[in-house]
Amino acid sequence: MKITISVLKADVGSIGGHLKPSQALFEEIKNFVASHGKNKLIDYYISSTGDDVAILCTHTGGVGNREIHQLAWEAFLAGTEVAKKSGLYGAGQDLLKDAFSGNVRGLGPAVAEMEFEERPNEPFIFFAADKTDPGAYNLPFYLAFADPMYCSGLILSPKMSQGFRFRIIDVSYTEKNKIIDLNTPEDLYDLAVLLRDTEKYVIESIYSRSSGAQAVAISTQRLHNIAGKYTGKDDPVAIVRVQGEFPATGEILAPFSIGHYVAGFMRGSHIGPLMPCKLNTTISYFDGPPVVTGAAFSIKEGKLTEPVDVFAHPFWDTVRDEVSRKAMEIRKQGFCGPSMLPFSELEYGGVVEKLNQLEKRFRLVD
Ligand code: 13P
Ligand code: 13P
Ligand code: MG
Ligand code: MG
């Protein structure tokens, strides 16, 4: 049976700054999806990570389906109304356009979706990250799908030994989708050359080379590309199918133990370590640190089991301690050098105005 999993995610308002949506906002979106999605969806799961609300749903309508996107758009609008009424911060933050035009891509919300032939048993993980951007997944998914140091299946499983095809998108190009496909293991170094630049080149999807089946879909929307200015970070979601011809669940999770440095800490302008957190985690220190949550599911004919919280295990407490230390370490450096994002990212904020003013005060002397 062909199934589509769609995740549509937006920040439409939160309590106490950019911390967490209110229960009332969350319930509004949930009730909206429950009542209006009745004849459209097989199943759904609503969750929040930091100040973002994600609608994960299963259906048979395919990728980019107008009805599904409209349902999510209207659910986010309903949530925005609640946010406005209760004075939440950033009400409607990610809804950048006034009118729905058939697809939420380009309107602000993040989207990750894939359609596939459901296997007899079909496990997958849904990741949601806050206070970061889509490039945050470059390193963990490179390691999980292309590096036998992290993914033992690449040498142990005959189904995986042919490697994977990575589709990379140049998110700085806004006219069209500018993509390149690279195959591992033979294109490994070329892949590394692109993935090192997490603000420009982002993994959009990954495919098994033995079966051709899609393993990964990541939201690659860039809000400042749509708005032309800083309006909040892009807080990416991802769907990752696991086991069989794909890495095992634990192989996908392993690289998140690094707590690697990503973009998006405080005002979307700083570098901070990515902390793997429990589901429904809020935001704190320096509007961060950047967080990622993971919910593992199995599905049968599109029906979801209950989620397993992949970062709830005691193992991750030690990782979180280490990530906290890394966060404090880079924060000691304040605005200086690599703790802040490069100019190309900051140019959407107030830094440009400031530099333009200062430029006039520079003097040329011998
Ligand atoms: P498969 O059964 O999908 O090959 O995975 C084995 C496994 O999960 C060991 O970690
Ligand atoms: P969000 O993108 O999650 O709304 O965060 C914005 C911000 O600037 C936090 O400091
Ligand atoms: Mg926000
Ligand atoms: Mg957010």
Side-chain angles (χ1 to χ4, degrees):
M1 181 179 179
K2 256 200 162 153
I3 288 290
T4 311
I5 303 179
S6 300
V7 179
L8 303 108
K9 185 238 68 176
D11 173 353
V12 293
S14 52
I15 303 175
H18 295 276
L19 308 185
K20 187 185 170 74
S22 68
Q23 197 59 36
L25 186 165
F26 187 83
E27 292 299 327
E28 176 71 17
I29 291 179
K30 197 168 178 176
N31 293 337
F32 191 98
V33 171
S35 58
H36 294 79
K38 258 195 198 102
N39 305 317
K40 304 182 180 91
L41 306 179
I42 302 172
D43 211 346
Y44 64 89
Y45 168 75
I46 318 289
S47 60
S48 72
T49 297
D51 59 2
D52 301 310
V53 179
I55 302 169
L56 181 155
C57 57
T58 56
H59 55 95
T60 53
V63 167
N65 184 282
R66 185 190 175 101
E67 279 194 300
I68 304 299
H69 282 231
Q70 187 157 7
L71 172 69
W73 178 257
E74 288 173 359
F76 291 136
L77 282 180
T80 299
E81 284 314 305
V82 172
K84 283 182 182 160
K85 272 190 204 130
S86 27
L88 297 193
Y89 197 70
Q93 180 185 285
D94 287 356
L95 307 186
L96 300 178
K97 304 277 156 135
D98 293 329
F100 180 75
S101 54
N103 192 304
V104 301
R105 279 181 201 274
L107 304 186
V111 190
E113 359 180 43
M114 61 169 122
E115 185 183 34
F116 54 88
E117 195 62 49
E118 196 186 87
R119 297 171 290 176
N121 55 74
E122 185 60 67
F124 74 94
I125 311 171
F126 157 53
F127 289 102
D130 190 33
K131 308 300 181 256
T132 185
D133 60 20
Y137 294 119
N138 278 10
L139 181 65
F141 294 162
Y142 165 85
L143 295 173
F145 283 87
D147 187 346
M149 293 287 283
Y150 283 80
C151 181
S152 61
L154 293 170
I155 47 180
L156 293 173
S157 164
K159 290 182 203 155
M160 289 171 63
S161 57
Q162 284 181 51
F164 291 89
R165 176 163 60 89
F166 285 70
R167 176 158 292 179
I168 313 297
I169 184 162
D170 176 350
V171 291
S172 69
Y173 193 83
T174 52
E175 305 292 304
K176 276 191 155 187
N177 288 336
K178 185 178 168 190
I179 57 163
I180 183 172
D181 287 344
L182 294 175
N183 289 324
T184 55
E186 59 269 36
D187 296 332
L188 201 66
Y189 297 167
D190 292 339
L191 184 64
V193 163
L194 296 183
L195 296 187
R196 61 157 287 284
D197 188 350
T198 51
E199 303 312 309
K200 185 168 165 66
Y201 300 110
V202 167
I203 300 173
E204 189 213 52
S205 47
I206 304 175
Y207 303 81
S208 159
R209 290 176 75 191
S210 67
S211 70
Q214 185 170 359
V216 174
I218 298 175
S219 65
T220 56
Q221 285 74 23
R222 299 282 275 147
L223 292 171
H224 71 222
N225 286 350
I226 302 167
K229 61 179 189 327
Y230 178 70
T231 58
K233 220 40 191 171
D234 309 303
D235 303 341
V237 288
I239 307 164
V240 183
R241 296 168 70 202
V242 292
Q243 304 294 140
E245 75 254 57
F246 308 128
T249 308
E251 287 165 341
I252 299 292
L253 301 182
F256 287 96
S257 66
I258 298 169
H260 67 300
Y261 288 108
V262 297
F265 213 173
M266 185 49 83
R267 298 178 186 272
S269 305
H270 295 80
I271 299 286
L274 186 66
M275 183 183 279
C277 285
K278 293 179 189 172
L279 295 176
N280 302 311
T281 289
T282 62
I283 294 301
S284 181
Y285 173 63
F286 204 59
D287 277 9
V291 296
V292 59
T293 60
F297 292 92
S298 284
I299 52 172
K300 192 71 185 174
E301 291 166 2
K303 269 272 170 219
L304 297 162
T305 58
E306 71 274 27
V308 172
D309 186 344
V310 298
F311 296 127
H313 188 279
F315 169 83
W316 298 97
D317 293 338
T318 304
V319 171
R320 284 189 277 269
D321 287 346
E322 183 56 33
V323 172
S324 295
R325 270 192 290 276
K326 288 180 72 168
M328 288 189 286
E329 207 51 54
I330 195 158
R331 285 313 317 141
K332 284 180 191 165
Q333 177 159 340
F335 59 79
C336 207
S339 69
M340 239 188 172
L341 286 183
F343 179 74
S344 57
E345 288 299 301
L346 299 179
E347 67 185 316
Y348 296 91
V351 162
V352 175
E353 284 166 40
K354 202 89 197 146
L355 285 173
N356 286 342
Q357 288 164 11
L358 289 172
E359 188 58 32
K360 294 181 199 131
R361 294 176 52 195
F362 271 94
R363 290 172 295 135
L364 298 173
V365 290
D366 284 331

